[in-house]
Structure formats: C-alpha cells, structure tokens
Amino acid sequence: GGRSIDLESAVAGDRGLNGDRQFMMVDDEGCFITQREIGALARIVVQRSGKALSIGFDHYQPIACVLDDFGNRTPCVVWRSTVQVLVAPNSINETLSQWLGHSVRLVYQDQRAERLTSARWTGEGVQVSLADGYPVLIANTASLDALNQFICERAQDADAAVPMARFRPNLVIATDEPWAEDHWKYLRIGAVELELVKPCDRCVVVTYDQQTGTPMGNEPSASLMRLRRSAHPEVGGVLFGWNCVVRKGGTLNIGESIEVLESKTEIWPLHTT
C-alpha cells in the first residue's frame, strides 16, 4: 500500500516482479492493512538496496533496517490466505505507528513464506506475493485514455482525467486499442510469458491520490460503473486492468515489444448501460 516505485527493468518470477509486495503492514491481530484502511500509506516511500531498506514518510527522518533484522516468524492474514511472515524490529514498528497514527507492524515475506493464488482462476500451485491476489497486474494506455475521455465528458472538465498511478499496475502496455486486453490470453514480453487469468475488480483506492492518500471524489469508480461493470456471476464490481500469472520468467525492460501469443475466444461479460 506504500507509494509505487517506477523501474526501468525488473525480473519476473513465479510470485511476480522480484521485490514487489514482499512487505506489508499488519494490525495487532495480524490482519493485512492497505490504503483502504489507512490512506496515508501512500505517503510511505521505500528505497531498497540489496538487503537494506530505507523507509521515509513526509518530512520525517527516514528509518533504516536490513532484511536480517526481521524475525519472530508469525502468521498474518491476507484475505483468505494465512502466511508465515517475518516481523520488523519493535523500533521500526513503533516509528511507523507514530507516523500513521495506528498501531501497525511491518512484515516481510521471505522465500519460506509461501502463499497460493485462488485455484479457481489460475490452476493449482501458483505462488503469489503479498499482493491482493495475483502475481502481476497489467494495464493498457488506450483503455485509460478511453476512460478519461468518458470522465472528462461527464464532468465537462478537461482537467478531470485520472493518472495511471491510481490503478497501481505492475506493467503498463502502450497500445492504440482501448480494452484490447480483454481479448488477450497469453503475452510474450522479451523472454517473459504471462497468462491473463482474471480482470481486476477495483476498490475505493482508485479514488485516492497516490501521493497523499487523500480521497479525490467518486472518479474513476463512477465512470467505471457505466463502462466496465462486471456481469460475471462470480465477480462483481468495476473492472480495470488484468491480473496475470507468470508462465515463463525472465527480465522485463521498458520499451520492449509485446507479442500476443494467444487470444481469447470469449471475453469477460460486462453490463451494458
């Protein structure tokens, strides 16, 4: 739930991009915390170099720790999953709690802390990080353009557009075709192969400014209700972006071309208005 980090390249493995969503805040009961509960998480800025972490918040002096400082393996809950994570030192957790105004602990998912995706959409045995549910989230620039055109026309305000950062994707794919991702089944990006398994049903966080965590009104959710409301019997809500699993790992670099290895014969059902 912290501020996103832009990368020029990243290694994609079974759990997603290396280092992505390996850390998380939990409450006193060990339940995961996101911007849904504490919007100010968007103001947490993390820099990582090897095993070293630097954690900043607004104008405060950053705090530092290393992965070897995490210990006291304990269970935490992420939706329906229980994960055996490692906990940050008390001094780190006390400072984070003061910054956020809530009692929190920082936890770390190492390689021993296994978690599986929902087999309903990915098949058996697919690993995932501490993300909401899937290893990789992709988004399409043309889809955002189409959504923003709708938002601006409804608001009669050319400045009402929302940035891609609201949707917190791992990979942003530039195309000229809005909602082309609905038709993709398998993609190849360099050496990496991704399978699109389920569209991403969006929560209230897409209405929060991703620099401050401040609620910014009802967009883009209100417009997505008109354009992208799921009609699938098992998935409700509004959709933007697609969740993926990594079928072949490797290095991803900005600027690489995308190859659609396989398209879908049927696309996800949407309500029409």
Side-chain angles (χ1 to χ4, degrees), residues 120-121 229-236 268-271:
R120 168 64 180 87
W121 305 106
R229 185 160 62 97
S230 175
H232 194 287
E234 297 177 67
V235 179
W268 195 270
L270 299 172
H271 288 285

Side-chain angles (χ1 to χ4, degrees), residues 61-162:
Q61 180 71 25
I63 52 178
C65 62
V66 296
L67 297 189
D68 292 340
D69 291 337
F70 285 75
N72 187 28
R73 191 175 296 276
T74 188
C76 78
V77 175
V78 185
W79 297 119
R80 298 178 184 177
S81 303
T82 299
V83 192
Q84 298 292 329
V85 293
L86 299 172
V87 183
N90 288 339
S91 59
I92 297 294
N93 295 327
E94 288 169 1
T95 299
L96 291 171
S97 297
Q98 291 171 2
W99 286 351
L100 295 170
H102 297 266
S103 179
V104 301
R105 290 176 293 162
L106 178 66
V107 300
Y108 167 54
Q109 181 195 30
D110 63 353
Q111 285 302 114
R112 287 177 53 194
E114 294 191 343
R115 179 180 174 225
L116 300 178
T117 61
S118 168
R120 168 64 180 87
W121 305 106
T122 63
E124 299 290 342
V126 176
Q127 289 283 329
V128 67
S129 65
L130 299 173
D132 255 4
Y134 298 88
V136 174
L137 173 63
I138 67 166
N140 173 6
T141 57
S143 299
L144 180 63
D145 291 343
L147 173 60
N148 276 329
Q149 181 178 352
F150 189 85
I151 290 172
C152 293
E153 288 175 354
R154 287 188 72 207
Q156 297 184 334
D157 180 1
D159 295 326
V162 300

